[in-house]
Amino acid sequence: MKKSLFIIISLFSVFFACKTIEEKSSPMDTTSYNEPFRPQFHFSPEANWMNDPNGMVYLDGEYHLFYQYYPDSTVWGPMHWGHAVSTDLVHWEHLPIAIYPDKNGWIFSGSAVIDHDNTSGLGSSQNPAMIAIFTYHEPIGEKEGRNDFQTQGIAYSLDKGRSWTVYEENPVLKNPGIKDFRDPKVMWHEDEAGNGRWIMSLAVLDKIDFYSSPNLLEWTFESDFNPEWAAYGGVWECPDLFPLTAADGTKKWILFVSINPGGPQGGSATQYFVGNFDGKTFTTESSETLWLDYGADNYAGVTWSNVPESDGRTLFIGWMSNWQYGQIVPTHPWRSAMTIPRKLELIKINDGYLVASRPVKEIEKLRKESKTVSGSSFELENELVELELSPNQSDFKIHFSNDKGETLIIEKSGQELKIDRTQSGKIDFSPEFPAVHKAPLHGIEVGTVRLFIDRSSIEVFINDGELVMTDLIFPNEFYSKVELNGFTESNSVHYLKGIW
Ligand code: FRU
């Protein structure tokens, strides 16, 4: 265990050393949202660097999306919380930066809640505060070699996230002397008698710690979680704890833990555990590592809080990139996009429970023209597409190509699904990028294959999300030709509208 801890610490130092290389770019400019590789139906910042989605919360008809943002460069640096809102999870309006670095440090990842009962006293019951709980990363302490430079702080807004006040007595949770102590995800939890309190999940090096609080201002340690057999290839980050109920009425608690590096395709990925939370301790019934998305490019994703009961969905978005090459992907003047938002569901496959991630139904609003295509090869007329394909053989292949000879191949053989992006377009910016990504099917019988292709990404949903693979791609021209092997004669193509 000591040796693996040493490896984790070394890898983590390299990770942060890499993250501090700064490359200055022009200040925020108004973009056309039409640059090469600019996602047309995924969220991306107008300019400069973005990583994790943060503080997603729903309030009064708006889905808020905050995100790790460095407004002075296209690579990682002193973090702020960028901000956007959407009324439909598909179209986004950019808002000014919400939270700036302050004397306590840079603003790392975290969550946001609505304090309906005014437990914090920072709002009122007529106008409950939106409260952001985030990690302060204090760079001077880090440089000095201290180990207490990450703490948790809060800020609040009384005007629907438009303006923010940093809590005067920050930090609300001090560091006990552990370098990696971050990414608080907070939820309101009630026991069977209806007694409620706030629960924070926090990533602490290679475990998740749970804290409780009556008011978001004072926190008490409850328990930690780090099963022997979990994935420990890198540091644990960005946890999320939430309940899901399966179609048969079974309720389980799910714990997400992002890990970097050590993902199934190398670099960053999100593992999850199925189990129970009793208000104090999380226990898992999983016995093998499960990954939310088997592609290379879905990291640090968490769920929205305060989604109305009348909606009832558990909604998710992830950072569509990977720390292996996120800072050197060939895009300008911005870097990174988010996945399409997904609805999480608990499904039973054979004797075990898995988390399915399905594209939110709102995405269908983007369909501008739908066609039935027949035969095993056809041309695409437009670069923004959703395909709905029905395999009629147990093994199949989907081969995309363009006139430049670039190809993207999706293939199922036996119990394995693969995406081959080795010849997919621009690949030489990183040795880690051109690769064949493989996913185990966990006994899932493939009924449908649904694909979304934007200018620089592909998202593959097997059975509408029972198995998901999200990959970045940088084709120099869109893939206009599709060849199918192992599918029925008739399939659907939807051409999509852009959102900007
Ligand atoms: C995950 C992460 C978080 C951290 C943030 C810093 O990608 O490393 O653990 O809070 O990014 O930007």
mmCIF file of all heavy atoms in Angstrom, residues 1-26:
data_model
loop_
_atom_site.group_PDB
_atom_site.id
_atom_site.type_symbol
_atom_site.label_atom_id
_atom_site.label_comp_id
_atom_site.label_asym_id
_atom_site.label_seq_id
_atom_site.Cartn_x
_atom_site.Cartn_y
_atom_site.Cartn_z
ATOM 1 N N MET A 1 0.842 -1.217 0.000
ATOM 2 C CA MET A 1 0.000 0.000 0.000
ATOM 3 C C MET A 1 0.865 1.250 0.000
ATOM 4 O O MET A 1 0.618 2.198 -0.735
ATOM 5 C CB MET A 1 -0.915 -0.037 1.225
ATOM 6 C CG MET A 1 -1.952 1.074 1.232
ATOM 7 S SD MET A 1 -3.092 0.958 -0.152
ATOM 8 C CE MET A 1 -4.001 2.474 0.025
ATOM 9 N N LYS A 2 2.024 1.209 0.807
ATOM 10 C CA LYS A 2 2.897 2.376 0.885
ATOM 11 C C LYS A 2 3.455 2.716 -0.476
ATOM 12 O O LYS A 2 3.508 3.867 -0.887
ATOM 13 C CB LYS A 2 4.044 2.090 1.845
ATOM 14 C CG LYS A 2 3.677 2.393 3.274
ATOM 15 C CD LYS A 2 4.881 2.934 4.001
ATOM 16 C CE LYS A 2 4.531 3.414 5.360
ATOM 17 N NZ LYS A 2 5.176 2.690 6.438
ATOM 18 N N LYS A 3 3.881 1.604 -1.222
ATOM 19 C CA LYS A 3 4.501 1.824 -2.524
ATOM 20 C C LYS A 3 3.484 2.460 -3.468
ATOM 21 O O LYS A 3 3.787 3.427 -4.175
ATOM 22 C CB LYS A 3 4.962 0.475 -3.072
ATOM 23 C CG LYS A 3 5.849 0.646 -4.275
ATOM 24 C CD LYS A 3 6.502 -0.652 -4.681
ATOM 25 C CE LYS A 3 7.059 -0.501 -6.071
ATOM 26 N NZ LYS A 3 6.978 -1.734 -6.800
ATOM 27 N N SER A 4 2.241 1.924 -3.446
ATOM 28 C CA SER A 4 1.260 2.478 -4.377
ATOM 29 C C SER A 4 0.929 3.925 -4.008
ATOM 30 O O SER A 4 0.713 4.757 -4.866
ATOM 31 C CB SER A 4 0.015 1.602 -4.462
ATOM 32 O OG SER A 4 -0.554 1.526 -3.212
ATOM 33 N N LEU A 5 1.006 4.230 -2.714
ATOM 34 C CA LEU A 5 0.754 5.610 -2.289
ATOM 35 C C LEU A 5 1.849 6.517 -2.848
ATOM 36 O O LEU A 5 1.596 7.621 -3.331
ATOM 37 C CB LEU A 5 0.768 5.646 -0.755
ATOM 38 C CG LEU A 5 -0.187 6.633 -0.140
ATOM 39 C CD1 LEU A 5 -1.604 6.264 -0.555
ATOM 40 C CD2 LEU A 5 -0.089 6.583 1.372
ATOM 41 N N PHE A 6 3.110 6.001 -2.816
ATOM 42 C CA PHE A 6 4.235 6.774 -3.329
ATOM 43 C C PHE A 6 4.036 7.035 -4.830
ATOM 44 O O PHE A 6 4.202 8.150 -5.323
ATOM 45 C CB PHE A 6 5.542 6.005 -3.088
ATOM 46 C CG PHE A 6 6.731 6.665 -3.737
ATOM 47 C CD1 PHE A 6 7.271 7.814 -3.175
ATOM 48 C CD2 PHE A 6 7.264 6.174 -4.915
ATOM 49 C CE1 PHE A 6 8.344 8.439 -3.786
ATOM 50 C CE2 PHE A 6 8.331 6.793 -5.526
ATOM 51 C CZ PHE A 6 8.880 7.930 -4.958
ATOM 52 N N ILE A 7 3.615 5.967 -5.560
ATOM 53 C CA ILE A 7 3.394 6.124 -7.011
ATOM 54 C C ILE A 7 2.306 7.158 -7.254
ATOM 55 O O ILE A 7 2.447 8.052 -8.071
ATOM 56 C CB ILE A 7 3.010 4.765 -7.664
ATOM 57 C CG1 ILE A 7 4.183 3.807 -7.522
ATOM 58 C CG2 ILE A 7 2.626 4.947 -9.124
ATOM 59 C CD1 ILE A 7 3.893 2.387 -7.937
ATOM 60 N N ILE A 8 1.246 7.067 -6.466
ATOM 61 C CA ILE A 8 0.135 8.012 -6.641
ATOM 62 C C ILE A 8 0.623 9.429 -6.407
ATOM 63 O O ILE A 8 0.362 10.338 -7.192
ATOM 64 C CB ILE A 8 -1.022 7.669 -5.665
ATOM 65 C CG1 ILE A 8 -1.680 6.369 -6.102
ATOM 66 C CG2 ILE A 8 -2.056 8.785 -5.632
ATOM 67 C CD1 ILE A 8 -2.561 5.746 -5.046
ATOM 68 N N ILE A 9 1.417 9.619 -5.333
ATOM 69 C CA ILE A 9 1.889 10.968 -5.018
ATOM 70 C C ILE A 9 2.787 11.473 -6.141
ATOM 71 O O ILE A 9 2.654 12.602 -6.605
ATOM 72 C CB ILE A 9 2.621 10.993 -3.650
ATOM 73 C CG1 ILE A 9 1.593 10.736 -2.541
ATOM 74 C CG2 ILE A 9 3.323 12.321 -3.417
ATOM 75 C CD1 ILE A 9 2.165 10.418 -1.189
ATOM 76 N N SER A 10 3.688 10.588 -6.669
ATOM 77 C CA SER A 10 4.588 11.023 -7.747
ATOM 78 C C SER A 10 3.786 11.392 -8.972
ATOM 79 O O SER A 10 3.999 12.434 -9.589
ATOM 80 C CB SER A 10 5.561 9.915 -8.142
ATOM 81 O OG SER A 10 6.041 9.292 -7.000
ATOM 82 N N LEU A 11 2.824 10.522 -9.333
ATOM 83 C CA LEU A 11 2.014 10.804 -10.525
ATOM 84 C C LEU A 11 1.275 12.119 -10.358
ATOM 85 O O LEU A 11 1.176 12.921 -11.269
ATOM 86 C CB LEU A 11 0.995 9.679 -10.746
ATOM 87 C CG LEU A 11 1.592 8.384 -11.287
ATOM 88 C CD1 LEU A 11 0.542 7.275 -11.226
ATOM 89 C CD2 LEU A 11 2.070 8.578 -12.723
ATOM 90 N N PHE A 12 0.807 12.334 -9.127
ATOM 91 C CA PHE A 12 0.038 13.544 -8.890
ATOM 92 C C PHE A 12 0.914 14.787 -9.022
ATOM 93 O O PHE A 12 0.504 15.793 -9.583
ATOM 94 C CB PHE A 12 -0.590 13.469 -7.491
ATOM 95 C CG PHE A 12 -1.525 14.596 -7.253
ATOM 96 C CD1 PHE A 12 -2.698 14.672 -7.982
ATOM 97 C CD2 PHE A 12 -1.222 15.591 -6.358
ATOM 98 C CE1 PHE A 12 -3.565 15.732 -7.794
ATOM 99 C CE2 PHE A 12 -2.083 16.650 -6.163
ATOM 100 C CZ PHE A 12 -3.257 16.713 -6.894
ATOM 101 N N SER A 13 2.193 14.697 -8.532
ATOM 102 C CA SER A 13 3.078 15.858 -8.662
ATOM 103 C C SER A 13 3.301 16.170 -10.127
ATOM 104 O O SER A 13 3.272 17.324 -10.556
ATOM 105 C CB SER A 13 4.438 15.601 -8.024
ATOM 106 O OG SER A 13 4.285 14.888 -6.850
ATOM 107 N N VAL A 14 3.510 15.108 -10.943
ATOM 108 C CA VAL A 14 3.728 15.325 -12.383
ATOM 109 C C VAL A 14 2.490 15.975 -12.971
ATOM 110 O O VAL A 14 2.567 16.957 -13.713
ATOM 111 C CB VAL A 14 4.004 13.974 -13.095
ATOM 112 C CG1 VAL A 14 4.033 14.148 -14.598
ATOM 113 C CG2 VAL A 14 5.308 13.385 -12.591
ATOM 114 N N PHE A 15 1.317 15.461 -12.548
ATOM 115 C CA PHE A 15 0.048 15.983 -13.071
ATOM 116 C C PHE A 15 -0.063 17.478 -12.819
ATOM 117 O O PHE A 15 -0.334 18.264 -13.698
ATOM 118 C CB PHE A 15 -1.084 15.201 -12.378
ATOM 119 C CG PHE A 15 -2.449 15.796 -12.505
ATOM 120 C CD1 PHE A 15 -3.120 15.746 -13.714
ATOM 121 C CD2 PHE A 15 -3.076 16.371 -11.408
ATOM 122 C CE1 PHE A 15 -4.394 16.269 -13.812
ATOM 123 C CE2 PHE A 15 -4.341 16.900 -11.512
ATOM 124 C CZ PHE A 15 -4.998 16.851 -12.725
ATOM 125 N N PHE A 16 0.211 17.883 -11.539
ATOM 126 C CA PHE A 16 0.065 19.309 -11.265
ATOM 127 C C PHE A 16 1.177 20.127 -11.888
ATOM 128 O O PHE A 16 0.958 21.242 -12.319
ATOM 129 C CB PHE A 16 -0.068 19.568 -9.750
ATOM 130 C CG PHE A 16 -1.502 19.655 -9.374
ATOM 131 C CD1 PHE A 16 -2.147 18.574 -8.801
ATOM 132 C CD2 PHE A 16 -2.239 20.789 -9.681
ATOM 133 C CE1 PHE A 16 -3.501 18.643 -8.496
ATOM 134 C CE2 PHE A 16 -3.582 20.864 -9.385
ATOM 135 C CZ PHE A 16 -4.212 19.780 -8.791
ATOM 136 N N ALA A 17 2.410 19.526 -11.993
ATOM 137 C CA ALA A 17 3.493 20.268 -12.639
ATOM 138 C C ALA A 17 3.062 20.553 -14.067
ATOM 139 O O ALA A 17 3.216 21.663 -14.572
ATOM 140 C CB ALA A 17 4.767 19.442 -12.612
ATOM 141 N N CYS A 18 2.497 19.537 -14.748
ATOM 142 C CA CYS A 18 2.062 19.718 -16.138
ATOM 143 C C CYS A 18 0.988 20.788 -16.210
ATOM 144 O O CYS A 18 0.971 21.599 -17.111
ATOM 145 C CB CYS A 18 1.467 18.442 -16.709
ATOM 146 S SG CYS A 18 2.666 17.165 -16.898
ATOM 147 N N LYS A 19 0.106 20.762 -15.193
ATOM 148 C CA LYS A 19 -1.017 21.691 -15.230
ATOM 149 C C LYS A 19 -0.573 23.140 -15.088
ATOM 150 O O LYS A 19 -1.338 24.033 -15.377
ATOM 151 C CB LYS A 19 -1.971 21.359 -14.095
ATOM 152 C CG LYS A 19 -3.000 20.318 -14.426
ATOM 153 C CD LYS A 19 -3.942 20.287 -13.266
ATOM 154 C CE LYS A 19 -5.185 19.493 -13.495
ATOM 155 N NZ LYS A 19 -6.088 19.635 -12.367
ATOM 156 N N THR A 20 0.659 23.385 -14.567
ATOM 157 C CA THR A 20 1.012 24.784 -14.348
ATOM 158 C C THR A 20 1.761 25.402 -15.527
ATOM 159 O O THR A 20 2.107 26.569 -15.470
ATOM 160 C CB THR A 20 1.834 24.958 -13.061
ATOM 161 O OG1 THR A 20 2.859 23.993 -13.076
ATOM 162 C CG2 THR A 20 1.011 24.814 -11.815
ATOM 163 N N ILE A 21 1.995 24.637 -16.601
ATOM 164 C CA ILE A 21 2.628 25.245 -17.774
ATOM 165 C C ILE A 21 1.591 26.190 -18.372
ATOM 166 O O ILE A 21 0.521 25.751 -18.776
ATOM 167 C CB ILE A 21 2.956 24.188 -18.853
ATOM 168 C CG1 ILE A 21 3.685 22.998 -18.248
ATOM 169 C CG2 ILE A 21 3.749 24.791 -19.987
ATOM 170 C CD1 ILE A 21 3.661 21.780 -19.154
ATOM 171 N N GLU A 22 1.924 27.439 -18.420
ATOM 172 C CA GLU A 22 0.944 28.387 -18.932
ATOM 173 C C GLU A 22 1.331 28.908 -20.301
ATOM 174 O O GLU A 22 2.466 29.223 -20.555
ATOM 175 C CB GLU A 22 0.785 29.559 -17.971
ATOM 176 C CG GLU A 22 0.058 29.130 -16.723
ATOM 177 C CD GLU A 22 -0.100 30.243 -15.737
ATOM 178 O OE1 GLU A 22 -0.058 31.404 -16.149
ATOM 179 O OE2 GLU A 22 -0.258 29.925 -14.549
ATOM 180 N N GLU A 23 0.375 29.034 -21.137
ATOM 181 C CA GLU A 23 0.613 29.505 -22.492
ATOM 182 C C GLU A 23 -0.372 30.649 -22.675
ATOM 183 O O GLU A 23 -1.574 30.450 -22.661
ATOM 184 C CB GLU A 23 0.325 28.315 -23.412
ATOM 185 C CG GLU A 23 0.211 28.594 -24.867
ATOM 186 C CD GLU A 23 -0.507 27.401 -25.514
ATOM 187 O OE1 GLU A 23 0.086 26.315 -25.533
ATOM 188 O OE2 GLU A 23 -1.638 27.585 -26.001
ATOM 189 N N LYS A 24 0.154 31.835 -22.770
ATOM 190 C CA LYS A 24 -0.755 32.991 -22.817
ATOM 191 C C LYS A 24 -1.458 33.061 -24.169
ATOM 192 O O LYS A 24 -0.869 32.799 -25.204
ATOM 193 C CB LYS A 24 0.034 34.290 -22.588
ATOM 194 C CG LYS A 24 0.472 34.445 -21.157
ATOM 195 C CD LYS A 24 -0.691 34.866 -20.265
ATOM 196 C CE LYS A 24 -0.290 34.785 -18.809
ATOM 197 N NZ LYS A 24 -1.419 34.837 -17.895
ATOM 198 N N SER A 25 -2.711 33.418 -24.142
ATOM 199 C CA SER A 25 -3.406 33.616 -25.404
ATOM 200 C C SER A 25 -4.080 34.978 -25.338
ATOM 201 O O SER A 25 -4.057 35.633 -24.310
ATOM 202 C CB SER A 25 -4.456 32.528 -25.599
ATOM 203 O OG SER A 25 -5.534 32.795 -24.763
ATOM 204 N N SER A 26 -4.679 35.359 -26.434
ATOM 205 C CA SER A 26 -5.310 36.669 -26.468
ATOM 206 C C SER A 26 -6.448 36.707 -25.450
ATOM 207 O O SER A 26 -7.046 35.683 -25.139
ATOM 208 C CB SER A 26 -5.858 36.929 -27.856
ATOM 209 O OG SER A 26 -6.749 35.903 -28.176
#
